[in-house]
Every structure is written in C-alpha cells, then in structure tokens.
Amino acid sequence: MANLPAPPSKPFPHCPDRLGLYPVLPSADWVERVLDHGVKTTQLRRKTTDSGDLKQQIERSVAAGARHYAQVFINDHWREAIKAGAYGVHLGQEDVETADLNAIAEAGLRLGLSTHGYYEMLKALHFKPSYLALGAVFPTTTKVMPTAPQGLSRLTRYVRLLDGVVPLVAIGGIDGSVLRQILSTGVGSAAVVRAVTEAADVPAAISALQHEFAR
C-alpha cells in the first residue's frame, strides 16, 4: 500500500492459529492470577507514565508467562517488552508506523495488530503480523473506539476472508453472554476485559469462558 514503511526483513514469529480465551489486563497481579487459573494467552495493557512501575509490571508478567508456558503480549510498550523478553507485543494502528518493527522482529517477539474494518486489515497485513485483532465487535467502555461497532455479520465476513491467512482475535464488548455467538463465526480467539476483571467469582468466570472454547 502506498506510503507505508516496508515490513520487517525478518518475519515475525508465528503464534498458535487459535489463541483461545485472551484476557486483556491492567496489571501483573491480574496476569499472574489468570495464568494461575489456566489461561494460556493474555495481554498486559498497563496505562502509566511511571517507567519504574512499567518495567516491574512487564517483567513480572513475562516471568509469569514463562512459568506457565503461556503467551503474554505487552500492549504498546515494545521497547520494554523487548528488554524483558516478552512473548509478543500488541500495537494499535496509530503505533505501527512509529514503532521499530524491525527491532521487534529481530528480538523474536510476535506482533499483534488492532484493526477496525477492511482498510486497516489490509494495512496491517502488509506488515505480516503474527495475529490480527478484529473489532470492536460490540460497544465497549474500556477505551474510546475510532469506529462504530463491527457486529457479528461483519466479523463473520472477516473470518471467511482471513481464516487460514493469519490468526484472528475478536475484541470489543465480549463477555460470557455473547461468547458463543462470537465463536460461531469460526474465529479462534476472543479478547475479554470486564468479563474477567469485574467478575464476582474470577475462577468461575474463567472456567465458564474456557468451557465455551472447548464445546
């Protein structure tokens, strides 16, 4: 596509085709907690300007991933993720042209990219990421979204278009009440936030969500 930087000369490593339940979490405490309950893919999305706190949170999350043989992605903070030896990095569309993708690939980290519609999917595929996040499927209150919710019918079309091309993660407003509908599209992973972090009984919530993937 015109005016995009070249993809890295070294490709990003592959990640599993079906990443399963994918909690996006605000702290290392949460990462450790969900991994202790059997989750195998998660993301630390730490919102802080405190470099010391960020370093500690990322290092703890990466260490927890190593202990549990789990895939821990770090949102946005790719330099710190490289230093900590993270499994992968997740970037938004606004970050992909400023981050050093060659450095991320050379360090052996996987790359996940957010997309919101066909144009951003094509743009993201140009960089040959390890997975694509497709959203927001439903309205979400966890962040301000640049586009209207995509809905299940669009998600279904995206999966038909990209299944077998790149691993896919559905994201945005997903909880236990809609997870079965999400998975009926054929997508191999679903990111959740409040379905875990606001659950009255976290182990039970994780078990119920994992059960939907095992059906």
Side-chain angles (χ1 to χ4, degrees):
M1 299 177 73
N3 302 319
L4 289 180
S9 51
K10 179 178 180 178
F12 293 104
H14 294 288
C15 65
D17 286 339
R18 306 184 79 79
L19 285 164
L21 180 65
Y22 188 166
V24 178
L25 302 164
S27 70
D29 285 340
W30 271 108
V31 170
E32 291 165 349
R33 192 173 175 187
V34 302
L35 297 186
D36 284 343
H37 291 299
V39 171
K40 288 299 181 185
T41 305
T42 189
Q43 180 187 132
L44 175 69
R45 185 161 72 191
R46 185 71 170 173
K47 300 299 182 184
T48 180
T49 56
D50 183 333
S51 59
D53 170 79
L54 187 63
K55 179 175 182 290
Q56 179 196 55
Q57 292 284 317
I58 290 175
E59 287 177 350
R60 280 179 55 196
S61 299
V62 170
R67 285 196 304 273
H68 290 278
Y69 301 99
Q71 292 94 224
V72 175
F73 291 86
I74 306 300
N75 185 278
D76 287 351
H77 301 287
W78 58 270
R79 295 179 184 86
E80 294 82 357
I82 290 173
K83 290 175 184 174
Y87 179 84
V89 173
H90 182 92
L91 298 178
Q93 288 280 317
E94 67 278 7
D95 306 307
V96 72
E97 293 182 45
T98 57
D100 189 338
L101 300 186
N102 275 298
I104 296 169
E106 286 293 334
L109 275 64
R110 285 87 182 155
L111 176 68
L113 291 178
S114 294
T115 67
H116 312 88
Y118 290 107
Y119 173 77
E120 290 188 357
M121 285 160 44
L122 289 171
K123 179 180 172 184
L125 287 171
H126 168 80
F127 297 105
K128 299 180 172 62
S130 306
Y131 76 78
L132 286 188
L134 309 172
V137 182
F138 300 117
T140 176
T141 60
T142 58
K143 63 185 297 188
V144 177
M145 300 307 301
T147 56
Q150 304 287 310
L152 282 169
S153 60
R154 273 204 172 202
L155 177 62
T156 301
R157 292 199 292 272
Y158 297 159
V159 173
R160 287 176 181 163
L161 181 66
L162 295 174
D163 187 37
V165 176
V166 63
L168 302 172
V169 178
I171 191 168
I174 299 170
D175 59 21
S177 69
V178 297
L179 182 55
R180 190 175 302 182
Q181 294 171 281
I182 291 287
L183 297 181
S184 71
T185 68
V187 73
S189 180
V192 299
V193 182
R194 292 177 298 140
V196 169
T197 61
E198 295 183 8
D201 183 336
V202 171
I206 290 173
S207 178
L209 292 165
Q210 294 279 47
H211 179 71
E212 292 297 331
F213 284 91
R215 290 173 67 89

